[in-house]
Amino acid sequence: MSRNLKLAFIVDPLHGLKAYKDSSIAMMREAHSRGHAVFAIQREALTWRDGVVAARAHAIRTRADDRGWYDIGEDAVQPLTAFDAVVMRQDPPFDFEYITASWLLERAVAGGARVFNDPRAIRDHSEKLAITEFPQFTATTLVARDAADLNAFIDELGDVILKPLDGMGGSQIFRVTASDPNRNVILETLTHEGRRTIMAQRYLPAIADGDKRVLIIGGEVVPYALARIPKAGETRGNLAAGGRGVAMPLTPAEREIAETLAPILWARGLMVVGLDVIGGQLTEINVTSPTCFVEIAAQTGFSVAGLFVDRLERACA
């Protein structure tokens, strides 16, 4: 890259980010180390007026100290077209405010701004339901809200995972067997008495070896996955649920899935994608704020953030 870029990151409040593990901070540190100007924007600062999407942007300088990882500089309201790229890294929940932000960012794109991940693509890709586009790679799955359909699925398979379509970090995920005395109340709770659609999937015993996070950056597959291994007595491997992260090379099955999806998702403007794979079966396609950059880099030496900035520089060339 021959010129320095002006990059804006839409992130959660800076003081709440955990620098020792946060992938967005890894991105900002890498960009700053290359001489790019880095700005932080809060989602609630987005505005539209007279055809222009703007936001108050704070200039920041990153530091290596995880306890004080940034110095904040001047702030000013700027149109998003003033930046070479805008990186959307706001964490879920994917609520109406998130959707509103995607609409505003879509207007910014229409006005000439570069936004990654593409706001329309984020909005169109439910992180749970997106797997239905690729059934050849998924475990046996049912999407439904009627208790009769869900109970029949549980009876047929005997051991299933139930989860809401809007959860993250392993929240509200239940393992239910056909003989579970609590299964009706679990179904009632997750479906809000039949008013909310949920996902049921065949339980995969391979979760004991880890829920693998496979990253795709700008259409390129990262050669290492982070296996999030559940703690004793736990079904969920999510790091937020106490799982232990172990980086390891991709298996042939994981590479096949990732290399099949990579060009499709990148063509839609999804620069950073996190696939969740258990036992060679695709379970989720994460596009809002995929993580695990720091853990993979620390354990393998492969700079995921470096690959991200490489691809961002290429996209802005």
Side-chain angles (χ1 to χ4, degrees), residues 140-158:
T140 307
T141 299
L142 172 70
V143 179
R145 69 187 235 180
D146 186 84
D149 294 327
L150 293 161
N151 273 312
F153 187 80
I154 295 170
D155 287 335
E156 176 190 349
L157 298 183

Side-chain angles (χ1 to χ4, degrees), residues 262-301:
I264 298 170
L265 299 178
W266 179 220
R268 296 171 184 170
L270 293 167
M271 177 174 282
V272 183
V273 178
L275 308 180
D276 288 349
V277 182
I278 301 174
Q281 302 285 301
L282 179 66
T283 62
E284 291 186 17
I285 302 175
N286 297 277
V287 299
T288 50
S289 56
T291 61
C292 300
F293 283 40
V294 176
E295 294 88 348
I296 290 174
Q299 295 181 38
T300 69

Side-chain angles (χ1 to χ4, degrees), residues 11-27:
V11 291
D12 290 312
L14 299 178
H15 63 82
L17 301 182
K18 298 177 173 60
Y20 68 92
K21 68 173 185 177
D22 191 277
S23 296
S24 298
I25 293 176
M27 295 175 181

Side-chain angles (χ1 to χ4, degrees), residues 154-165:
I154 295 170
D155 287 335
E156 176 190 349
L157 298 183
D159 196 351
V160 305
I161 293 293
L162 302 176
K163 55 188 174 182
L165 298 179

